Amino acid sequence: MNKNVIVGIVIAAVVVAIAAVALYKNPPKSAPAPPGGTPPAGTLYIYRVRVESGHAIEMTAYYAPLANGLFYGQVANQTRTYFLVKDGMINVLAQSGDNSQRATYYNKLLEICVNSTTAATVAGEKITIGSSRCTPSPNPLPAVKTFDDLLMLIQGLPGPVNGTGWVKSGVAQTPFGQATVYTNKTEVPIVVGLTAVLSYEKQVLPDGSLYSFKVQLAYGTQVAATLTYTLVNKSQITPEVRTIIEDLSVPVAAAGGGGLDILKVAEKIGMSYNGTWPAAVVFFDLECPYCARLFVHNYTLFQGHKLVLVDLVVHPEALPAHERLRCLYKNSPAEVIPTLRQLYARFLAGDSNYTSVLPQDRCPIDANAGMQLATLLAGQNVGTPMVVVVYPNGTFTTIVGYDPKAIAAALKG
C-alpha cells in the first residue's frame, strides 16, 4: 500500500494501464460514500485532469455510469487508456501509436487473475503476445461503485480511510450549479519517521456526479504532487465512446503465446546461432557485471540450443563496443561467443581496456528496437541480463536478472 501512495498520484502522468497491474497486489479501500444521488446512466462526463509535480501535465478524462458498470477513459499525448468495470471484472484497453494492450482482471478462489494480449510493432515486425496468470490474494478485486472509487483504483490511491471517511465541509458554486464539498485527510506511514499525508476534496453535484476531485500528496509541510479532476462538459454517450464500451465488454480469453513472434524480431535485430529447441534469446549489455557472470560461468547452459544475442544497451557509453561486436558478427560470426566470453572475463578482472579484444570497425545496431522488445516483455522490470526461453509451440518464459537455475529449468522445458 505504501508504495502505491508514493507513486499513485504520478501514475496519472504515464500509461494508466500500468496502474491496473497493482490491483492484485494491494486493492485500495474506500470509506463509505457521502449522501448523494446516482448519476444517470447514459451520460458522458468530460473532465480536465491536471497533475502538478515539479511541472504541470494536463489530460482529458471521460466517465460514464452504465446500467451494469462504469466506464473510464483517459487521453494523454498519444496514449489512450480505457477501463470498464462490469460483472465483477475489470477490462482495460491501452493504446499508444501502433501498440495496444488488452487485459481482463477477475477473481478466483483466493486469487486474482489477469488475461492479457499485447500487440506491437518492433523493427517493422508485428508482435502479438498473450498471457494468463493468477496471483494469490486474500482479498478479491475491490468493489467499484462510484466515480471516486474508480479514481482511487486507477491512480493507485488508498482512499479516505481515517476517522469517519468523507466529512461535509460546505458548499461551492460551480458552472453546473451548487455542489456539496466533502473533505478528508489520510495519513499513511511510509518508513519510520516519514508519513505521507493525502488531503482529499470532492465537490458533489445534486445529481450525484462529481464536479471536482482533488488529492494532494505531502510529506510534512512539503507538497509533493497534486492531482485535480474538473468537470468541463457532459452529454449523451457519443457513438465513438459507445463503440469503445462495446469493445471493452468482451473479456480477454485466457491464452499464452507470441514466442515465435519474439524470436522472429530477435533474429532480425540480434545475432543468431542455430541449434535445437527450446530457443534462448539473451539480452545483454557489455558493461553489465551479471551478464559477464552469465557468459563466463554459465554459458554451457546455452550450448546446443538455438541462441539469439540481442543488444540491450542500458549503459550508453557501451554503445561503441556493441557496434564493434556487431562488426565481428558480420565478418566472423563463429568468433563472437569466444570473444564475448574473453571480453567479459577481462571485465570481471577489472581490466579497463577489456574491449580491446574487439575489432575497431563499428557497424550499426538497432539499440532502440532491442530496448523496445525488452520493455514489451518485462515492462518496468527490464534489466540485464534477461533471457527469454521460447518453445516450439510459441509459449515462452522470461527470466530477468542473473538466475542460472531458473534459466536451466526453463531450457529443460
Side-chain angles (χ1 to χ4, degrees):
M1 179 71 75
N2 293 350
K3 291 182 179 179
N4 282 350
V5 173
I6 296 171
V7 303
I9 294 179
V10 187
I11 284 176
V14 296
V15 179
V16 181
I18 295 173
V21 177
L23 293 180
Y24 61 86
K25 294 181 180 178
N26 294 300
K29 298 177 181 178
S30 295
T38 301
T43 302
L44 180 66
Y45 297 85
I46 304 172
Y47 289 85
R48 180 177 65 251
V49 185
R50 184 176 176 87
V51 182
E52 298 174 273
S53 179
H55 62 282
I57 299 173
E58 290 199 353
M59 297 163 284
T60 301
Y62 303 88
Y63 167 69
L66 308 174
N68 57 349
L70 303 176
F71 167 79
Y72 175 90
Q74 181 166 294
V75 178
N77 297 323
Q78 300 301 312
T79 300
R80 301 172 302 280
T81 309
Y82 307 102
F83 289 77
L84 180 65
V85 181
K86 177 183 176 183
D87 300 330
M89 296 186 294
I90 301 172
N91 293 336
V92 185
L93 169 62
Q95 300 171 318
S96 180
D98 294 333
N99 302 339
S100 66
Q101 182 180 46
R102 295 173 178 271
T104 294
Y105 294 82
Y106 59 97
N107 294 311
K108 290 182 70 174
L109 182 62
L110 297 179
E111 291 182 319
I112 293 180
C113 301
V114 55
N115 302 333
S116 67
T117 60
T118 302
T121 300
V122 181
E125 302 288 342
K126 293 187 180 298
I127 297 179
T128 301
I129 299 172
S131 70
S132 181
R133 67 181 185 275
C134 294
T135 302
S137 174
N139 300 312
L141 287 171
V144 179
K145 299 179 180 179
T146 65
F147 186 31
D148 37 316
D149 285 343
L150 191 58
L151 294 182
M152 301 296 181
L153 180 144
I154 291 171
Q155 306 301 350
L157 297 170
V161 294
N162 284 5
T164 58
W166 294 103
V167 176
K168 186 175 179 179
S169 303
V171 296
Q173 296 300 321
T174 80
F176 299 90
Q178 181 172 284
T180 304
V181 180
Y182 296 88
T183 58
N184 176 273
K185 183 172 288 188
T186 292
E187 296 184 358
V188 181
I190 304 299
V191 295
V192 176
L194 179 63
T195 298
V197 180
L198 291 160
S199 299
Y200 293 97
E201 178 190 286
K202 66 178 178 179
Q203 297 183 13
V204 183
L205 295 171
D207 67 354
S209 62
L210 292 187
Y211 169 69
S212 69
F213 177 92
K214 180 179 179 180
V215 57
Q216 185 180 83
L217 170 64
Y219 300 100
T221 59
Q222 183 66 40
V223 176
T226 303
L227 169 66
T228 306
Y229 282 74
T230 305
L231 182 66
V232 295
N233 196 13
K234 55 183 177 178
S235 66
Q236 291 299 303
I237 294 177
T238 65
E240 179 184 6
V241 171
R242 181 70 64 186
T243 298
I244 295 170
I245 293 172
E246 291 173 356
D247 190 21
L248 274 173
S249 296
V250 181
V252 177
L260 300 182
D261 286 350
I262 295 167
L263 186 60
K264 181 180 179 180
V265 172
E267 289 174 335
K268 182 174 182 178
I269 65 175
M271 298 173 282
S272 304
Y273 296 90
N274 290 327
T276 61
W277 292 96
V281 179
V282 182
F283 292 83
F284 71 102
D285 177 282
L286 289 177
E287 290 194 6
C288 162
Y290 289 103
C291 301
R293 293 185 186 183
L294 181 63
F295 278 91
V296 172
H297 303 305
N298 309 105
Y299 175 71
T300 55
L301 291 172
F302 306 114
Q303 286 182 330
H305 289 279
K306 286 178 177 287
L307 177 65
V308 186
L309 306 180
V310 176
D311 304 89
L312 182 56
V313 185
V314 296
H315 298 92
E317 60 274 16
L319 179 60
H322 280 264
E323 293 175 336
R324 291 163 62 189
L325 182 65
R326 184 58 61 96
C327 274
L328 180 63
Y329 174 74
K330 287 190 173 183
N331 297 321
S332 305
E335 295 182 18
V336 168
I337 300 300
T339 302
L340 187 59
R341 297 189 70 197
Q342 182 184 1
L343 178 152
Y344 273 139
R346 294 176 63 172
F347 175 78
L348 291 175
D351 184 349
S352 61
N353 198 32
Y354 70 98
T355 60
S356 63
V357 298
L358 297 172
Q360 293 303 308
D361 293 339
R362 293 168 61 174
C363 298
I365 63 171
D366 195 341
N368 289 334
M371 182 62 72
Q372 185 182 359
L373 182 60
T375 303
L376 185 65
L377 295 168
Q380 293 179 314
N381 295 322
V382 68
T384 54
M386 187 168 87
V387 178
V388 181
V389 177
V390 180
Y391 304 99
N393 64 359
T395 58
F396 64 93
T397 298
T398 302
I399 302 106
V400 179
Y402 179 62
D403 193 341
K405 290 184 178 179
I407 296 169
L411 287 169
K412 288 180 180 178

